[in-house]
Amino acid sequence: MTANSNLDEHSSEDEPRQEFRNVDRREYLKAIGALGVSGLVGTDSVMAGATGEVTNAGFASALTRYDLTNHGLGNAQTDTPPFMPRLKTHEGRQYYAYWTHAGQLVVTARDLPDGEWERNRTGIEIDARNGHWTPSVGIGPDGHVFLSYNTRDSTIRWRRSTHPEDIGLFGAEREGMTGQNESSVTYLEFTRLLDGTLLAGYRDGQSGAGNWILNRWNPRAEAWEPVHHPLIDGAWNGNEYNSYMWNLVQSDDGMLHYFFCWRETGNVQTNGDLSYARSTDGSETWEKSDGSRYDLPITYGSAEIVDPIPENSNLINQGWASYDPRNNAPHVAYYRDDENDFTQVFHASLDDGEWVTEAATDRTTNVRLGGPGVVASPIGRMGIVVGDDGDVHILTRDFENGSWPLLVEKLDGEWQTSVLYKRNVAWSDVHIDPHRWRTDRVLSFVDHQQNVGDVPWSTHSLLGITDVDVDTLDRTHRSISLSSEKPDELTTYVSTGLANGPVIADGTSFEDTSVALAITETTVPATPVYARAIATIESADGLAAVRVKIDGKHGTTHGESTEVTGEHQTGTTEWTKVTQAFRAGVITAQVASPNKSSVQVSAVNLQLGYHDPTPYENTVAPTRGASE
């Protein structure tokens, strides 16, 4: 079934959809012998071009990516941030919306676990290539698909599908919801509750000065109605703030959980104080974790503090929250600096009425967030889920560790980190499908290599949805340490040398040679990238020096030079780490003559490398299904 690209015509026919019942994942896997003694070993053998056998538990394999398109919008970080959730599962059907490289909005859907993707190429064009123009998807009480887009410090734009559970036809664009407090809207998020109620939350205002608004869809009136205007007020004690909301979570007991941090200005470094509120009645009233009632609206002065994080702590706003299915306790993942000023992935949960916060990683670097607008985040905003056994699974990526998808997990009480597969996803955040996890314990996420800023060379990028069965994933050769010590060994992935004859070094100033390599953050196999130069001289009494020059978005930097002396001698520089956020650049080998004499350099080579901490060569991105 293929959806028509026309918003006003419905060309697809209804098809019967397979239903999947909930099963206890561990008990099922034990019964079929898929779990080893430790519970961490299983099969994840579906690799590029292969197809795995689909079991009745709804899984193709432990790790499978379903490609959507080769032409995703890769230069604006619009498809992976967790705000404005848009990867949704409802009644065995998964929905997603994304922008193409041409700036066209596409709505997709598939029948789980591995149905063909239907596509509606809507004809809607992106207003600005900026991460805040992320689309949002919601499922209404009767199964209609809600779509919001192009909403950034503006009125709300949204549409509703004509038929339930069908993306083939959407109604006309509508502006606004209730007509109140919606003139400067950003981060519109749809949340479907367990009873089918559809909520819409958003910020009205701006970064550092805004309120959080909550609306509810009335299916009888087919209209939005206000619930709290606002739920959270940014004004307090003569100062202005705004709350940045994590995803709204509903645990199995019906409790709603909201985590949020505060920001005082437009600068990300004024983020602080992770806070919490919950509701027992579907969002009408809100309380703290001890059951004491909030006087609404919530303010900075009245909010319950989960983690008292000061400003300038590299706290990233807007991550993911989850809950423990054993006891419905809320869990949240985020990153901030630890007591040593190293930036770590953190985890917090409510345990017997007390908030427990802990670092989940052992990083030894500081990420140095900065500035307003779309922030280049060296650690990806992360998704989090909790298993039936209480194990915590946090999905993220780290620029200092490959920019590969990483699982940071608390298994049997101990934290560990594993590489899912070796695909550089650049500056992408992690966007997961919480309802897919709730229904069948699949960790489903958006795999889309994206950059920050309107960088033309990164417009076309592969976009897919990856499904992970954390119970059968083989972690044997995937486990790594995130400690960023200088690696002893690097993998050289590309090199080049002189094409035409020797070069002459005849001055003390370094001069470019013709030996150069162009690189981009989205074409390197991993980050960070390292470069080194190698030079050979012919003269017995000659003296030459060689170094690397790195030009990129960050400016121009140079590696340490190495001198070469003696007939037929070769000198090799140390590996130079390429500065993060270089975007696109050129790395060049340079030579000089320290003693001002003319020296013939017969060979010059340039190598680029990266650190691979895993011995498992087949940790690649598996794929099923054809992309458009």
Side-chain angles (χ1 to χ4, degrees), residues 26 29-30 33-43 471-472:
R26 265 183 194 276
L29 291 166
K30 285 178 182 177
L35 288 183
V37 176
S38 68
L40 301 180
V41 181
T43 58
D471 284 337
T472 61

PDB file of all heavy atoms in Angstrom, residues 26 29-30 33-43 471-472:
ATOM      1  N   ARG A  26      11.664 -11.894  28.236  1.00  0.00           N
ATOM      2  CA  ARG A  26      12.694 -12.787  28.745  1.00  0.00           C
ATOM      3  C   ARG A  26      12.181 -14.228  28.845  1.00  0.00           C
ATOM      4  O   ARG A  26      12.894 -15.167  28.519  1.00  0.00           O
ATOM      5  CB  ARG A  26      13.196 -12.303  30.105  1.00  0.00           C
ATOM      6  CG  ARG A  26      14.437 -11.451  29.958  1.00  0.00           C
ATOM      7  CD  ARG A  26      14.988 -11.018  31.283  1.00  0.00           C
ATOM      8  NE  ARG A  26      15.941  -9.955  31.029  1.00  0.00           N
ATOM      9  CZ  ARG A  26      17.208 -10.162  30.695  1.00  0.00           C
ATOM     10  NH1 ARG A  26      17.670 -11.375  30.563  1.00  0.00           N
ATOM     11  NH2 ARG A  26      18.010  -9.145  30.462  1.00  0.00           N
ATOM     12  N   LEU A  29      12.117 -15.689  25.336  1.00  0.00           N
ATOM     13  CA  LEU A  29      13.438 -15.969  24.784  1.00  0.00           C
ATOM     14  C   LEU A  29      14.099 -17.150  25.493  1.00  0.00           C
ATOM     15  O   LEU A  29      14.818 -17.935  24.877  1.00  0.00           O
ATOM     16  CB  LEU A  29      14.312 -14.719  24.875  1.00  0.00           C
ATOM     17  CG  LEU A  29      13.865 -13.596  23.938  1.00  0.00           C
ATOM     18  CD1 LEU A  29      14.539 -12.298  24.321  1.00  0.00           C
ATOM     19  CD2 LEU A  29      14.175 -13.940  22.491  1.00  0.00           C
ATOM     20  N   LYS A  30      13.848 -17.263  26.783  1.00  0.00           N
ATOM     21  CA  LYS A  30      14.379 -18.428  27.493  1.00  0.00           C
ATOM     22  C   LYS A  30      13.752 -19.713  26.941  1.00  0.00           C
ATOM     23  O   LYS A  30      14.413 -20.729  26.770  1.00  0.00           O
ATOM     24  CB  LYS A  30      14.091 -18.300  28.987  1.00  0.00           C
ATOM     25  CG  LYS A  30      14.972 -17.287  29.712  1.00  0.00           C
ATOM     26  CD  LYS A  30      14.574 -17.188  31.176  1.00  0.00           C
ATOM     27  CE  LYS A  30      15.419 -16.152  31.893  1.00  0.00           C
ATOM     28  NZ  LYS A  30      14.998 -16.003  33.315  1.00  0.00           N
ATOM     29  N   GLY A  33      15.338 -20.718  23.816  1.00  0.00           N
ATOM     30  CA  GLY A  33      16.773 -20.922  23.916  1.00  0.00           C
ATOM     31  C   GLY A  33      17.612 -19.827  23.305  1.00  0.00           C
ATOM     32  O   GLY A  33      18.762 -20.055  22.941  1.00  0.00           O
ATOM     33  N   ALA A  34      17.053 -18.625  23.191  1.00  0.00           N
ATOM     34  CA  ALA A  34      17.798 -17.537  22.548  1.00  0.00           C
ATOM     35  C   ALA A  34      18.712 -16.815  23.512  1.00  0.00           C
ATOM     36  O   ALA A  34      19.583 -16.068  23.089  1.00  0.00           O
ATOM     37  CB  ALA A  34      16.834 -16.524  21.928  1.00  0.00           C
ATOM     38  N   LEU A  35      18.522 -17.032  24.827  1.00  0.00           N
ATOM     39  CA  LEU A  35      19.363 -16.349  25.799  1.00  0.00           C
ATOM     40  C   LEU A  35      20.464 -17.275  26.288  1.00  0.00           C
ATOM     41  O   LEU A  35      20.228 -18.448  26.565  1.00  0.00           O
ATOM     42  CB  LEU A  35      18.535 -15.887  27.013  1.00  0.00           C
ATOM     43  CG  LEU A  35      17.584 -14.711  26.789  1.00  0.00           C
ATOM     44  CD1 LEU A  35      16.915 -14.360  28.101  1.00  0.00           C
ATOM     45  CD2 LEU A  35      18.313 -13.517  26.232  1.00  0.00           C
ATOM     46  N   GLY A  36      21.648 -16.707  26.398  1.00  0.00           N
ATOM     47  CA  GLY A  36      22.736 -17.452  27.004  1.00  0.00           C
ATOM     48  C   GLY A  36      22.633 -17.382  28.514  1.00  0.00           C
ATOM     49  O   GLY A  36      21.677 -16.866  29.070  1.00  0.00           O
ATOM     50  N   VAL A  37      23.670 -17.910  29.191  1.00  0.00           N
ATOM     51  CA  VAL A  37      23.648 -17.940  30.651  1.00  0.00           C
ATOM     52  C   VAL A  37      23.548 -16.543  31.227  1.00  0.00           C
ATOM     53  O   VAL A  37      22.820 -16.279  32.177  1.00  0.00           O
ATOM     54  CB  VAL A  37      24.914 -18.654  31.171  1.00  0.00           C
ATOM     55  CG1 VAL A  37      24.955 -18.596  32.692  1.00  0.00           C
ATOM     56  CG2 VAL A  37      24.933 -20.105  30.694  1.00  0.00           C
ATOM     57  N   SER A  38      24.289 -15.601  30.634  1.00  0.00           N
ATOM     58  CA  SER A  38      24.313 -14.241  31.178  1.00  0.00           C
ATOM     59  C   SER A  38      23.112 -13.429  30.751  1.00  0.00           C
ATOM     60  O   SER A  38      22.883 -12.352  31.275  1.00  0.00           O
ATOM     61  CB  SER A  38      25.579 -13.515  30.716  1.00  0.00           C
ATOM     62  OG  SER A  38      25.530 -13.287  29.315  1.00  0.00           O
ATOM     63  N   GLY A  39      22.352 -13.916  29.779  1.00  0.00           N
ATOM     64  CA  GLY A  39      21.228 -13.141  29.281  1.00  0.00           C
ATOM     65  C   GLY A  39      21.637 -12.060  28.311  1.00  0.00           C
ATOM     66  O   GLY A  39      20.824 -11.249  27.914  1.00  0.00           O
ATOM     67  N   LEU A  40      22.915 -12.015  27.928  1.00  0.00           N
ATOM     68  CA  LEU A  40      23.391 -10.947  27.056  1.00  0.00           C
ATOM     69  C   LEU A  40      23.833 -11.473  25.703  1.00  0.00           C
ATOM     70  O   LEU A  40      24.224 -10.698  24.849  1.00  0.00           O
ATOM     71  CB  LEU A  40      24.573 -10.215  27.713  1.00  0.00           C
ATOM     72  CG  LEU A  40      24.284  -9.588  29.065  1.00  0.00           C
ATOM     73  CD1 LEU A  40      25.542  -8.917  29.580  1.00  0.00           C
ATOM     74  CD2 LEU A  40      23.147  -8.596  28.976  1.00  0.00           C
ATOM     75  N   VAL A  41      23.796 -12.749  25.503  1.00  0.00           N
ATOM     76  CA  VAL A  41      24.323 -13.322  24.277  1.00  0.00           C
ATOM     77  C   VAL A  41      23.173 -13.877  23.453  1.00  0.00           C
ATOM     78  O   VAL A  41      22.295 -14.545  23.967  1.00  0.00           O
ATOM     79  CB  VAL A  41      25.329 -14.444  24.574  1.00  0.00           C
ATOM     80  CG1 VAL A  41      25.885 -15.027  23.290  1.00  0.00           C
ATOM     81  CG2 VAL A  41      26.469 -13.902  25.430  1.00  0.00           C
ATOM     82  N   GLY A  42      23.183 -13.579  22.164  1.00  0.00           N
ATOM     83  CA  GLY A  42      22.136 -14.096  21.297  1.00  0.00           C
ATOM     84  C   GLY A  42      22.538 -13.912  19.860  1.00  0.00           C
ATOM     85  O   GLY A  42      23.718 -13.808  19.535  1.00  0.00           O
ATOM     86  N   THR A  43      21.573 -13.867  18.964  1.00  0.00           N
ATOM     87  CA  THR A  43      21.869 -13.719  17.553  1.00  0.00           C
ATOM     88  C   THR A  43      21.515 -12.326  17.096  1.00  0.00           C
ATOM     89  O   THR A  43      20.450 -11.813  17.393  1.00  0.00           O
ATOM     90  CB  THR A  43      21.058 -14.734  16.730  1.00  0.00           C
ATOM     91  OG1 THR A  43      19.671 -14.520  16.981  1.00  0.00           O
ATOM     92  CG2 THR A  43      21.431 -16.151  17.090  1.00  0.00           C
ATOM     93  N   ASP A 471      17.484  -7.812  24.624  1.00  0.00           N
ATOM     94  CA  ASP A 471      17.646  -9.081  25.329  1.00  0.00           C
ATOM     95  C   ASP A 471      18.560 -10.039  24.585  1.00  0.00           C
ATOM     96  O   ASP A 471      19.237 -10.868  25.195  1.00  0.00           O
ATOM     97  CB  ASP A 471      16.286  -9.739  25.560  1.00  0.00           C
ATOM     98  CG  ASP A 471      15.511  -9.092  26.688  1.00  0.00           C
ATOM     99  OD1 ASP A 471      16.159  -8.465  27.551  1.00  0.00           O
ATOM    100  OD2 ASP A 471      14.285  -9.202  26.708  1.00  0.00           O
ATOM    101  N   THR A 472      18.561  -9.999  23.254  1.00  0.00           N
ATOM    102  CA  THR A 472      19.367 -10.945  22.486  1.00  0.00           C
ATOM    103  C   THR A 472      20.577 -10.301  21.829  1.00  0.00           C
ATOM    104  O   THR A 472      21.333 -10.986  21.144  1.00  0.00           O
ATOM    105  CB  THR A 472      18.518 -11.624  21.396  1.00  0.00           C
ATOM    106  OG1 THR A 472      18.025 -10.636  20.492  1.00  0.00           O
ATOM    107  CG2 THR A 472      17.347 -12.369  22.013  1.00  0.00           C
TER     108      THR A 472
END
